[in-house]
């Protein structure tokens, strides 16, 4: 794999394309944005965080200010899309590991997005499930500041 490189895309605005996985016919990337000292990882339309990206994030300081994760699949196991999209059980497994190595902390704002309506419970039910992990559920029109 080529070395990950940070690029300045505007004055003081940097982006690093991190490896992701979706399917064999695409070249997916997660995007790590750094703006005014804030770090936001947009990790959607993919599953898990591959080793090279995970290690890159572990080596960075400070931790992420925000993490946006794919969560196409619902709150059940046995989903065939495991290699290309996250499910709620996958998020449950990743969050403690991200916290242990300080990719995220209790101050990091974490969101799930890219939810397939046919694979999830209602928005309100999903919000309750994710709140137990300290994760917020994105919705159309959501605006946040970091």
């Amino acid at each position: 794999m080529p070395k990950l490189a940070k690029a300045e895309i505007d004055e003081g605005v940097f982006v690093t394309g991190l490896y992701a996985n979706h399917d064999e016919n695409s070249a997916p990337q997660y995007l790590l944005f750094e703006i005014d000292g804030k770090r936001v990882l947009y990790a959607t339309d993919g599953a898990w965080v591959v080793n090279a990206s995970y290690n890159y994030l572990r080596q960075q300081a400070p931790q992420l200010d925000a993490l946006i994760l794919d969560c196409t699949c619902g709150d059940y196991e046995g989903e065939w899309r495991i290699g290309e999209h996250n499910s709620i059980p996958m998020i449950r497994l990743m969050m403690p590991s991200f916290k242990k190595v300080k990719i995220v902390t209790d101050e990091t704002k974490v969101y799930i997005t890219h939810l397939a309506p046919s694979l999830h419970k209602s928005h309100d039910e999903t919000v309750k499930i994710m709140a137990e992990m300290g994760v917020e559920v994105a919705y159309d029109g959501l605006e946040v500041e970091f």
Side-chain angles (χ1 to χ4, degrees):
M1 285 188 179
K3 184 176 179 179
L4 298 172
K6 183 189 308 188
E8 187 169 16
I9 59 173
D10 199 0
E11 187 174 333
V13 179
F14 300 90
V15 66
T16 305
L18 302 180
Y19 301 106
N21 59 325
H22 187 273
D23 65 43
E24 69 277 359
N25 297 315
S26 64
Q29 289 188 329
Y30 294 152
L31 299 174
L32 175 62
F33 294 97
E34 299 178 59
I35 306 165
D36 296 328
K38 302 286 185 174
R39 300 176 73 237
V40 177
L41 178 61
Y42 185 76
T44 185
D45 206 16
W48 303 103
V49 175
V50 298
N51 184 267
S53 298
Y54 176 77
N55 286 325
Y56 182 86
L57 292 167
R58 280 186 28 203
Q59 295 166 4
Q60 301 300 304
Q63 74 282 343
L64 296 174
D65 295 285
L67 172 60
I68 300 110
L69 288 168
D70 177 279
C71 193
T72 297
C73 306
D75 191 13
Y76 56 92
E77 297 175 5
E79 172 55 48
W80 65 268
R81 296 170 187 87
I82 192 171
E84 60 188 38
H85 293 287
N86 291 324
S87 65
I88 291 174
M90 293 163 74
I91 304 292
R92 281 190 189 104
L93 290 171
M94 286 188 281
M95 290 309 299
S97 296
F98 290 164
K99 286 183 179 181
K100 185 171 185 172
V101 298
K102 302 199 183 331
I103 290 172
V104 300
T105 67
D106 291 337
E107 288 79 38
T108 304
K109 294 181 180 182
V110 181
Y111 299 87
I112 59 169
T113 191
H114 203 262
L115 284 70
S118 62
L119 299 175
H120 281 272
K121 296 177 181 174
S122 73
H123 180 81
D124 290 341
E125 289 174 293
T126 303
V127 166
K128 288 178 187 173
I129 292 166
M130 298 312 294
E132 295 171 9
M133 290 179 261
V135 175
E136 297 187 45
V137 180
Y139 54 88
D140 291 345
L142 174 66
E143 293 184 22
V144 296
E145 290 187 31
F146 306 108

